[in-house]
Amino acid sequence: MNTVEQKACFHCGEPVPDGTDLAIDVDGQARSMCCAGCRAVASLIHSAGLDRYYDFRDALPDRPDQDAAQDLDPGRFAAWDRDAVLDFHAPPEKPAENACANSDARAIVLVLENVHCAACAWLLQRYLGQFPGVGESRLDVGDGRLRLVFEPARTPLSQLAAALQRLGYPPHLDTPDSGIDRDRNERRRMQRYLIVAGLGMMQVMSYALANYIGAFQGMEPEIRHFFKLISMLVAVPVALYAGQPFYRSALRHLSQRHLGLDVPVAAAIMLALFASVVMTLFGHAEGEVYFDSVVMFIFFLLLGRFAVMIARQQSSAVHSALARALPGQARRITEAGSEQVGLVELQPGDRVMVADGEIIPADGEVIGGTGRVDESLLSGESEPRRRRLGESVLAGSLVSAGSLEIRIEAVGRATILSGIVELLSEARRRRPRLAQMADRAAGWFIGLILVSTGIAALAWWSIDPAQVIPITLAMLVVACPCALALGTPTALASATRGLAANGILTANPDALEALPGITHVVFDKTGTLTRPTMQIAEVRCRPGLGRASALAICAALERVSSHPIASAFRTFDDGRQIECAESLGSAGVSAVVDGQRYWLGRPDWVAAQSGQSIDVPQTGLWLALACASEQPAVMLRLDNSLREGSRRLVADLKRRGLTVILASGDREANVADMARALDIPEFHARLEPAGKLALVHQLQQAGAVVAMIGDGINDAPVLAGADISIALAEGAAIARTQADLVATGRNLKPLLLLFGQAPRVRRIIRQNLAWALAYNISALPLAAMGLIPPWAAAIGMSASSLGVVLNARRLGRLPDSPGDRSDGLGRPIPQARGAA
């Protein structure tokens, strides 16, 4: 082994105490370690064959806790393997999303400490990938969240957590407060940089001002040199400390062989600082220094970054508020009385009591008591709605003016609230298409800046060498394309925040920019233009079967269905047993009840199954109930009214010049009545999901750009096939929807706001991009000609970034909506069937 020469810890960079001999062999060289914790982590990385981590990293990790690093016992995380914890934090992974996933795979998000750079993501992906059953490990370096897909039967979560602990990344279960703490720490860190840069700028500017005044009044060279020395003593530590965000970012991009935005920024700061120090220490008294320009540049650039950070954090305010909405405990009712339990202990079927002023812990149905429920956090509706026996309630809602006994139907990630949170999280992880294009353009522009700056420096060296450094600095600073890269994502973030507060959730940010380009809007009917809940308007019974018995049989059959029609029968369910039950999509349901096979659904389908001839009245939504005997079918007419805002939405879309089409699986007479009531000239009836998709494809082949608005379940294929898809939150489990945009609430008024806001989003994005390009293209040649001094370049570049951020934030302040906000989310009601 070679002789140990280094005095700093190879792993964390801390000084190695005298007399400490903890070196290990890495790549044939002895690497000194400062403590047993670093030695344990470095040994683990080396034994796993992941030594390249040390070549990739561009930031040093924190010194690991020695006891934690040496603790190889996964027992400290044993509670994470409990079923309640796994069901709450690690729901089953869908195979469609991950090729390695199966029925046993689960997905969990862990918050890790000590995440610094892209090398951490590289290390974790390869290290965790060596464990059996780990299908995916994806780290967000920005917030330290690790999405992990694993099979608990092959590698328990406690073992993976212990491995992360040993590797120096202590894991925590993802909780709402973790994001708040991270944002607060980020703000405090940026504020420290800003304060140091601001104080340093004021001091250095005062010395520079004295120097400038002295130049006109004949100040002694020794005094001028003294002011330069004082400026250097202040500016150098200020620049080295407050400029850390730019240096680290530049090193990270260069290590990845990518020209990031901070590369010319860091280059300009270091060039100006180095040249000024050399001129101060070794030059003559009349030489030019740029300490004032350096600290001014850092301060204004930090100010711009701070504004961007605040805008980004505000855009996630809705996400954070929703994530914190659930209580930590619930009062569960048992045969022995009531007990306080943790939220993770609740199971579907449990009964809980929610008193006045308490938060509903999970989605469920009211089985006792009455009270008003405030769903404003979910829907924006400020007026609480009264809930009675048999009605549904949502997790995160506030009970007021009463108390409710609730039977739990969905917990954890299966609730509507968790679906909304996951939808918003996925939208934040997705990089918009225009933002990606702007990033690529910025990368090319940075290359152009560097090449142009080099050419200008050579040209000025032959003309006037004294101008080389100021012109080089001005070109590097003034043309930095920060505004170009910030314009699109900041605008979309502000628009997403404003729309979310008014009932529109954005799953795909690109849809906001693309929505003004649509030509056709296709509507589903049942559950979309009509209310999701239906009422039984008429029952035509056969001899020997009374109305109550017929409705009880229908309610038993509809137990296996989650179609909007099923909601009309729930109050008639008397609990009778059913066997061999099945739901036949858009046709109906079938089961054996009291020893007899029954069919309930579309009359034509029931007639084909039972072999009976069924006469259907010409108007109205009719269902047939028939059994295997020769007895006549029971006919039931259901009534559902138009959703509030549907007429106004259709009229508004037509006023905008869009072609509106109604597509439904219902009978032609019913669809025609709906189209006539809403003044929709084109409609299509008796369409299965495949037929709706074929209709959209036919329109697209004719050159149309189609937006589909549906309830999100049997409409999933056509939602996926449309150019832009909009689903209603009541129609589907939001986390699994195919939609680009989701409208919450029980009316369609949020969609009026969406179609009115989308052109404004596109306009502001284009304004930002046009301004950024115009500024960069015009400023670069002016700086190359020496017309822009370095201090003005710093102000100009920062002002450009601040300008696009402030312009983008206008999207968070929505104009008056064309109607009241939505009045609640309601429970998830699945795909339409029959009258789709």
Side-chain angles (χ1 to χ4, degrees), residues 617-690:
Q618 292 299 314
T619 60
L621 174 58
W622 290 88
L623 298 181
L625 171 68
C627 60
S629 67
E630 297 296 328
Q631 297 178 355
V634 175
M635 301 300 295
L636 306 102
R637 180 170 64 86
L638 276 71
D639 180 39
N640 59 334
S641 57
L642 287 174
R643 276 187 186 266
E644 184 180 356
S646 57
R647 285 191 174 90
R648 190 171 182 181
L649 175 60
V650 171
D652 182 75
L653 295 175
K654 293 172 65 177
R655 180 181 60 81
R656 296 177 184 276
L658 302 177
T659 301
V660 179
I661 300 174
L662 179 60
S664 174
D666 199 0
R667 293 186 302 140
E668 185 167 353
N670 295 335
V671 180
D673 288 343
M674 175 70 70
R676 194 161 39 246
L678 294 175
D679 194 20
I680 299 177
E682 182 179 349
F683 63 89
H684 301 267
R686 294 189 178 277
L687 289 182
E688 300 288 342

Side-chain angles (χ1 to χ4, degrees), residues 56-58 116-123 139 141 252 255-256:
F56 293 153
R57 67 179 183 178
D58 52 46
H116 294 91
C117 61
C120 298
W122 180 90
L123 175 65
L139 177 69
V141 178
R252 181 170 64 251
S255 66
Q256 297 171 355

Side-chain angles (χ1 to χ4, degrees), residues 80-92 106 344 346-348 411-414:
W80 291 16
D81 292 331
R82 295 176 182 171
D83 291 340
V85 175
L86 288 175
D87 291 341
F88 191 84
H89 290 283
R106 291 176 177 264
V344 296
L346 289 180
Q347 297 292 329
V411 298
R413 301 297 177 92

